[in-house]
Structure formats: structure tokens, C-alpha cells
Amino acid sequence: MDRILLIGLNHKTAPVEIRECFAFTEEDCRQALTRLCGQPAIEEALLTSTCNRVELLLCVKDIQQAVVAAKGFFSQSKQIPLADFEAALYQHHGDAAVRHLFRVAASLDSMVLGEPQILGQVKTAYRLATEQKSSGVILNRLLHNTFSVAKRIRTETGIGDSAVSISYAAIELARKIFGTLEGKEVLLIGAGEMAELAVEHLIRNRAGQVFVANRTFERGVALAARFNGTAIRMEEIAAHLDRVDIIISSTGAPGYVVQPVDVKGVMRHRRNRPLFFIDIAVPRDIDPKINDINNAYVYDIDDLNEVVDENIEDRRREAVKAERIIDEAVIKFRQWFEALDVVPTIKALHAKIRSQAQLEVQKTLGQLAHLTADDQKAIERMTEAMVNKILHHPTQYIKNSSCQGDRAVPLDLVRKIFGLDE
Amino acid sequence: MQIVFAAAVLFYMISTVTYFAYLFLQRDLLQKIGCILLVAGFSVQTIDILVAFATTGHMPVNNLHETLSMTAWALVGAFLALNFKFRLKILGIYASPLALFIVLAAGQLPSEPLQPDNLLKGAWLVIHIFTIFTGDAMLALAAGCGLLYLIQERSIKSKSRGFFFKRLPSLDLLDTTGYACIVSGFALLTMGLISGMIYAKIIWGHFWQWDVKEVWSAVTWIFYAVLLHERLAVGWRGRRAAIMAILGFGVMLFTFLGVNLLLKGHHAPFTRF
């Protein structure tokens, strides 16, 4: 496995000032892959570039030369002196490189543990590599393993299960109250990044009509237009409580914007359908006493933060299971890699053909009881001769392959044709 | 027949264990197995009841053992129907142990049926028994939904979340399922009372004779009627509806068993042991 090399930097090793210098567009990636494969020390290459990391995965002939070439590539492609970022670079070889790739794709190495985008980004990187023909037998196999490991982790562990952002946590709570969010009406009081994000999530979950109340009515109208909603005045909030279901509040008001008496008054009119208040404002907008009213639920920013913290803790626990799955996969990949050599392939090929031939001979002889011992010996000798004749050319082909440039290709071909990895 | 009964007990027992494992481990396969086991238990009990009906010609409710077995049968049947419609899988952690508890209690009682009076025959009686048992089973499930609702509401309101928060479904699903249970339970109960009254008229010549059992049945019926009325008229739902469903179950239970065991009245053979 000493031919696999991973070199790069990520959010843990490099500050954003450095990371932003190494942003590769798709076009940059294509050119980079072509250039990398032109290097004599490098056989296969894959370049992953996201806002939190840039990584080169290489299959190399010579590690030392390849490391120099890769560092030179980073420095030249973005015109940055190596000394400025060399300290931020990490490099892994063999098992460690494979494990790192698995961890990245399974989102164990992400800033937000378990976030789902990274797998898509690795897939894009791989697609570019296949289009530029910069990935060969080894990286193909490695990446396919990576995708199945990532998928397995996603289904078998709860790494992506619980919400780890304030707005998602609020949506999840809303689901626990309302079941489906379809058709639930939303009132946004004030404005703010988090609150608007929550409204967007709700709309994506097919929430119903959106109302926007803002101190400056013009601002409210503009926001409402963004959500295809209706702007109302702050004084109209109480009157709208009888029809909306989810209230997201984020104003700069010093006192409470919604009072318990407002809610008590509408509960009967709304036939006790639940009301969910999400209060993101500091100081708070929603009187916490409203939480004591039947069928009304109030979550403020601290409550939501607590949910998020708990969920992050859950994901960390799940990550331990994921590491175990990765350990297994690394071992499996190493077994495949080590088998992809001349002697193991010849041995496996001979063993497979011979055992199959012998199995068939035994079956046939079992049905031919009338044969003498000499007859049986003759049949066995004939089988052995056939096996040797059949194996002669494939064996020669495998032996010659070690003289060719990339012997992984013919070896992989033989292993596939004869099903040696099954 | 003992062997069939024992098989049902065994099925309900394993089902209960599986449902609890599902509660802790959250593997969907477990609740499927639990549900299949309930189907198995329900099937053998159905055979048991049909055989008893075919051989004796009347419904097997002639002692407390038979009555309780029939109750468990109705409860499991109602749960399976409900689960099919609403997919409220987690309710299995209520229905399955409850059914197990009932059959275990039945197992402690002598199963030799007492010689029934010829009173216990006729189509009206079959309808009466069937509707009352399934109606009461529905109302028992409504109480289960109410219980789960209260747990889930507590975990959301108190912001503590905890063990049950992830494992229980949304408040809305619990509330609507509970409501559906009460509506269907109430409808069946009404049919049961009407068929019972018609039967009484045929046998005794009176629709109503102020027997304790009759009075308490009326109390139960009125209780649920008020509950439904309040929901339709002023939207009683959520916490209050859940508490009322649990209280109603208490009243219903007293009418079903308590009256017989403590106050006598007619229906006596029903709980003899």
C-alpha cells in the first residue's frame, strides 16, 4: 500500500486565508489532473477541493519524488511560495491515506460532524478524475470502496440523524409537534439570518402561507416578497395568532412582543390547535410564561442551543461506530491491494482453476463406478494436463505484466476475468 | 384447547419482549417481528374462539377465563387494525404487554366453562358481545395513545427531551390516533348498548331495568359522548383530551369488570370463576 499518498490541508490545519487561496474550480481541477499525471512519479491522481479542504490523492511510483511534485504543484498552480503553507500540509501514506479518505467521505473529518455535502463533493472530484482519465485501477477501486463505506456509515450509524444547527433543530421540534409541516402557516416577526433560514427550511418542507411583521413596514414588505408571503404591521400580530401555527421571532425589541394574554385569548378560537413559538431574539420576544399554556410551546435561543449541543454529542457517539466500520474497510482494501501482485495472482489463479477441475472430476468419477483404478488415474492425469495447458498462457501474461509500466491494469483484468476476488 | 391458549400466551410474551427491544434499540425489524407475533397470537386465539363457538353454539364468555381471553383477542385485533391504518408502531409497547397481562391473568383462572343458561344464545347477543369487546379494546388503545401523548408532551414542554423524545412520534399523530380510537370505540360501544337493549327486550321484556351494569354502561357512554362533544364543539385536544381518554378508560374498566366483581347485577356468568 506504500504507493498510495494523500497530501493536503483542511480547516483544522490551515486558516481560511490560506484555504481560500487553494480554491479550485472544475476547470482548474481538470487542468491540474492532466498536469499531475504528466509527472513521472505520479500514476493516478484525484483532487478534492471544497471550502474546508483541498486534498490530492495519488497513486505513485516513488513516494519521495511524488511528495516533492505534489508540493510543487500546490505552490505553482496558485503562485504561492511553499514556505507560506507548508506547515499546514499533512500527508498520509498507505493505510493512513486510505483511512483518511474514508473518514473524509463519511464526514468524520468535517467541521460539522456528519454533514452530508462532503460525499457529493468527493463524488464530483472522482467524476472529474475519470473524465480526465487520471484515475486508474487502484483509485477506481479505492473510490468505489469509499462510496460504499460512506453509504454504509450513513445507513448503519446515526451520524447524520439529528439536527446540528439552530434552524434545523427548530424544524425538527416543529415536526415532533405537528407531524407534517405541510400547510402550516408561519409568522416571522423581525428579521435576521437565523430566523430567515428557519423560514426557508419551513418553506422547503411545504409550509403554508408566510406572514412577516416588521417594525419598518417597507422592510417587512421586501422580506415577505422573498418568501412569497404577506407583510403585516406589528400591531396585527395578536390578531394573526389565531391562524398561524409557527411563530419565529427575532426582533431587537427591549420587551416581550407576544404576551400570554394574547395567546390565551386565541386558543379557544383556534380550537386548541398547537402553537409553536421559536424565539431567537436576545432579549427575548416571547414571554416564557406562554409555555405554560396548554398546546402552546415556546423554545428560546438557549433551549435550541441545548438541543444542538445534545445532538452533536449524539453524533460523536455514532462516530465511534463509524470508525469501526472504517477500520474494517481499510483492512479489506489492503487485502485487495496486496493480492494485486504477480505471485499472489498466479497462485490464486492456479488454485481456483485446479480446485474447480478436481471438483468436476470427483463428481464424474462418482457416477462411473465401473471404471478401474487405472482408468480413474488416466482421467485424473488428463485433467491435470488440461489445467496446465489452460493456465500456461495466462500465467505467462501475468509474469510479463511485471515488465510493463503499470502492471496493476493487466493484473486487475486477470483477477476480474477469473473472478479471483469473489 | 389448553395448548392453543398456551401458544397465544407464548406469542404475546415474545412479542412484548420484541417491542421493548424495539423501544430501546430502534431497529425497525424488531417492531415488524413484534407485529407478526401479535398476528400469530391473534390467529390462534381466533381459531380458539371459532372452535368454541362451533362446538357449544355460544360465544365463549362464560367465565372470567374466557372473558379475559376474549378481551386480549379484541385488544390485539384493534391494535393490528389501528397499526395498519395509522402506522403508530410504538403503541405496541402498550398493547402487547397489556394483552400479555390479560392472558396471563386468564391463565391463573379455571378454564372449565360453567354450564351456560340458554339465555346466552342468539344473533343479537353475538353482535352485542362482539361490538362491546372491540369497542372497549379501542377505548383501551385510546388511553394508550393518551399516555404516550402525555409523555411526549412533557418531554417537549419541559425541554428535557430525553429517552422518549426521539422514540415517540409527533404529538399530532398521537392525538389524531387517540381521537380515531375514541370515535370508533364510541361507535362500537353505542352499537353494543343498542344490541344489548334489544336482546334484553327479547329475553326479559324490557329495554332497560336500572340494573347496576346498565347504569354504569350509561355512565361510560355519557362520559365518552361528552368528551367527543367537547372536541367537536370547542376543540378539546392535546393534553386535556389525553387525560380524559385515560380517565374514561378507568370508568370503562370499572363498568366492564369492577361492576361484576364488586356490585353484582346481571351479566354475572360473564365473570364467574
Side-chain angles (χ1 to χ4, degrees):
Chain A
M1 290 259 272
D2 49 350
R3 290 172 57 207
I4 297 174
L5 168 70
L6 187 140
I7 183 163
L9 48 84
N10 65 14
H11 58 281
K12 288 176 194 157
T13 63
V16 65
E17 297 79 38
I18 292 183
R19 294 200 315 270
E20 67 194 358
C21 301
F22 287 103
F24 287 82
T25 64
E26 242 187 69
E27 202 37 55
D28 292 346
C29 274
R30 284 180 201 279
Q31 287 170 6
L33 291 174
T34 319
R35 260 197 16 237
L36 282 163
C37 285
Q39 300 272 356
I42 297 171
E43 286 180 337
E44 301 177 32
L46 178 102
L47 176 62
T48 314
S49 169
T50 75
C51 50
N52 276 337
R53 70 180 66 245
V54 52
E55 282 178 359
L56 263 180
L57 177 67
L58 304 171
C59 182
V60 302
K61 283 203 189 83
D62 181 289
I63 288 276
Q64 301 310 326
Q65 287 174 22
V67 169
V68 174
K71 284 182 179 172
F73 157 79
F74 276 130
S75 168
Q76 282 159 25
S77 61
K78 295 296 173 186
Q79 304 296 325
I80 304 163
L82 183 60
D84 287 5
F85 65 91
E86 196 172 10
L89 284 178
Y90 46 82
Q91 43 177 299
H92 301 292
H93 313 238
D95 275 10
V98 172
R99 173 170 292 114
H100 183 86
L101 175 67
F102 287 170
R103 293 186 77 247
V104 167
S107 195
L108 294 177
D109 198 46
S110 301
M111 194 187 257
V112 178
L113 188 66
E115 55 90 9
Q117 282 91 0
I118 183 68
L119 181 58
Q121 289 160 336
V122 175
K123 279 185 176 163
T124 307
Y126 178 57
R127 180 173 55 78
L128 292 178
T130 49
E131 281 168 13
Q132 297 307 115
K133 299 202 168 38
S134 73
S135 78
V137 172
I138 291 169
L139 289 195
N140 283 342
R141 176 85 176 197
L142 179 55
L143 267 295
H144 285 141
N145 279 14
T146 306
F147 300 141
S148 68
V149 167
K151 193 176 166 208
R152 202 181 141 201
I153 287 175
R154 212 144 266 283
T155 48
E156 288 183 23
T157 74
I159 190 118
D161 278 359
S162 35
V164 289
S165 74
I166 296 279
S167 41
Y168 262 117
I171 303 301
E172 239 169 52
L173 277 164
R175 271 220 198 84
K176 277 289 180 194
I177 296 170
F178 297 106
T180 168
L181 300 178
E182 203 175 333
K184 297 286 174 281
E185 303 198 341
V186 182
L187 169 61
L188 171 63
I189 307 176
E193 195 188 338
M194 247 191 286
E196 288 163 33
L197 205 58
V199 175
E200 277 165 18
H201 287 325
L202 285 170
I203 292 173
R204 219 168 302 138
N205 280 290
R206 298 197 287 174
Q209 171 112 36
V210 178
F211 295 93
V212 179
N214 204 295
R215 214 153 49 89
T216 35
F217 190 67
E218 286 70 31
R219 181 84 207 282
V221 172
L223 254 181
R226 232 182 82 198
F227 302 127
N228 264 333
T230 316
I232 60 170
R233 296 191 180 277
M234 294 298 268
E235 302 77 51
E236 294 178 288
I237 290 173
H240 276 77
L241 287 180
D242 65 345
R243 61 174 300 182
V244 298
D245 304 289
I246 300 168
I247 297 97
I248 302 168
S249 192
S250 167
T251 74
Y256 295 136
V257 177
V258 183
Q259 308 284 349
V261 60
D262 300 330
V263 179
K264 266 186 200 142
V266 298
M267 261 337 203
R268 198 181 163 91
H269 194 248
R270 48 184 291 122
R271 305 175 61 81
N272 287 305
R273 278 180 296 114
L275 263 175
F276 182 31
F277 293 89
I278 302 162
D279 187 357
I280 311 183
V282 179
R284 289 177 292 180
D285 286 343
I286 313 291
D287 191 329
K289 287 200 198 80
I290 291 175
N291 196 42
D292 299 335
I293 299 170
N294 262 340
N295 298 314
Y297 305 88
V298 181
Y299 270 72
D300 64 35
I301 185 85
D302 278 7
D303 301 329
L304 292 170
N305 267 325
E306 209 177 293
V307 177
V308 167
D309 287 347
E310 267 175 39
N311 289 350
I312 289 175
E313 204 41 52
D314 280 355
R315 284 194 178 192
R316 286 220 183 91
R317 268 196 294 275
E318 293 301 310
V320 178
K321 288 187 210 162
E323 298 281 1
R324 200 192 59 228
I325 294 176
I326 286 177
D327 286 345
E328 267 175 53
V330 171
I331 292 170
K332 252 182 148 170
F333 183 77
R334 177 160 17 99
Q335 283 167 352
W336 173 83
F337 190 90
E338 281 167 0
L340 194 66
D341 205 345
V342 175
V343 178
T345 305
I346 292 175
K347 273 190 183 160
L349 179 64
H350 281 239
K352 176 145 190 174
I353 302 291
R354 189 152 283 130
S355 73
Q356 279 179 349
Q358 269 161 7
L359 197 76
E360 291 305 319
V361 168
Q362 293 310 324
K363 248 201 253 170
T364 310
L365 289 182
Q367 289 160 359
L368 302 174
H370 60 275
L371 292 183
T372 66
D374 283 347
D375 293 343
Q376 291 189 359
K377 282 241 167 63
I379 288 181
E380 275 162 15
R381 271 200 306 277
M382 180 195 76
T383 312
E384 183 62 26
M386 275 166 68
V387 166
N388 286 337
K389 282 254 153 64
I390 291 169
L391 283 174
H392 178 71
H393 274 291
T395 310
Q396 286 305 315
Y397 174 74
I398 297 170
K399 278 184 183 157
N400 291 338
S401 73
S402 55
C403 313
Q404 293 169 9
D406 187 1
R407 66 181 185 212
V409 180
L411 286 173
D412 184 59
L413 181 69
V414 171
R415 297 192 79 89
K416 274 189 190 138
I417 288 177
F418 291 98
L420 299 183
D421 290 311
E422 281 160 21
Chain B
M1 284 310 28
Q2 276 307 314
I3 183 94
V4 178
F5 181 76
V9 174
L10 191 67
F11 283 133
Y12 293 156
M13 203 177 272
I14 309 172
S15 166
T16 303
V17 173
T18 337
Y19 269 111
F20 272 95
Y22 169 64
L23 177 67
F24 282 92
L25 304 174
Q26 295 286 289
R27 292 270 178 275
D28 198 56
L29 181 68
L30 288 169
Q31 70 80 18
K32 277 187 189 139
I33 296 173
C35 189
I36 290 167
L37 285 163
L38 284 186
V39 171
F42 181 74
S43 312
V44 297
Q45 277 208 298
T46 310
I47 295 167
D48 199 13
I49 290 166
L50 287 177
V51 168
F53 187 75
T55 48
T56 62
H58 44 71
M59 297 288 272
V61 283
N62 294 307
N63 61 22
L64 193 54
H65 171 85
E66 289 184 343
T67 301
L68 288 179
S69 316
M70 184 89 154
T71 310
W73 173 82
L75 182 74
V76 173
F79 169 72
L80 291 174
L82 197 70
N83 198 15
F84 182 72
K85 176 84 173 66
F86 288 93
R87 304 256 156 247
L88 190 58
K89 306 169 266 191
I90 198 72
L91 194 62
I93 61 157
Y94 168 83
S96 192
L98 189 58
L100 176 66
F101 173 75
I102 299 171
V103 287
L104 282 178
Q108 300 303 309
L109 298 161
S111 62
E112 208 43 53
L114 301 163
Q115 191 48 48
D117 355 2
N118 270 337
L119 285 179
L120 281 174
K121 284 195 173 171
W124 285 111
L125 186 69
V126 173
I127 295 173
H128 173 66
I129 292 170
F130 183 78
T131 49
I132 290 283
F133 272 79
T134 47
D136 283 359
M138 277 296 176
L139 297 175
L141 290 180
C145 292
L147 200 65
L148 295 183
Y149 183 96
L150 290 182
I151 294 172
Q152 182 70 311
E153 201 239 17
R154 189 80 235 127
S155 60
I156 295 178
K157 264 261 149 112
S158 69
K159 297 164 187 180
S160 57
R161 291 171 306 280
F163 181 76
F164 283 102
F165 178 73
K166 282 200 180 121
R167 291 171 163 81
L168 293 184
S170 68
L171 292 177
D172 183 72
L173 180 65
L174 289 168
D175 188 65
T176 23
T177 315
Y179 176 59
C181 285
I182 289 183
V183 169
S184 49
F186 181 75
L188 287 162
L189 199 63
T190 310
M191 283 192 268
L193 292 187
I194 292 171
S195 54
M197 273 149 69
I198 294 172
Y199 179 71
K201 173 78 180 164
I202 295 168
I203 299 290
W204 295 304
H206 304 278
F207 282 113
W208 188 263
Q209 11 179 19
W210 293 102
D211 177 87
V212 255
K213 188 82 169 182
E214 292 173 357
V215 173
W216 274 95
S217 300
V219 169
T220 313
W221 188 86
I222 291 167
F223 186 97
Y224 282 106
V226 170
L227 208 168
L228 282 178
H229 173 265
E230 289 299 295
R231 179 164 189 129
L232 293 171
V234 294
W236 255 25
R237 55 186 294 153
R239 188 180 165 72
R240 195 174 297 165
I243 293 173
M244 293 313 274
I246 295 170
L247 288 180
F249 179 52
V251 176
M252 189 272 280
L253 210 55
F254 183 74
T255 311
F256 188 67
L257 290 177
V259 167
N260 283 39
L261 298 172
L262 303 173
L263 306 174
K264 308 291 180 246
H266 59 54
H267 283 82
F270 174 78
T271 46
R272 274 185 305 206
F273 61 93

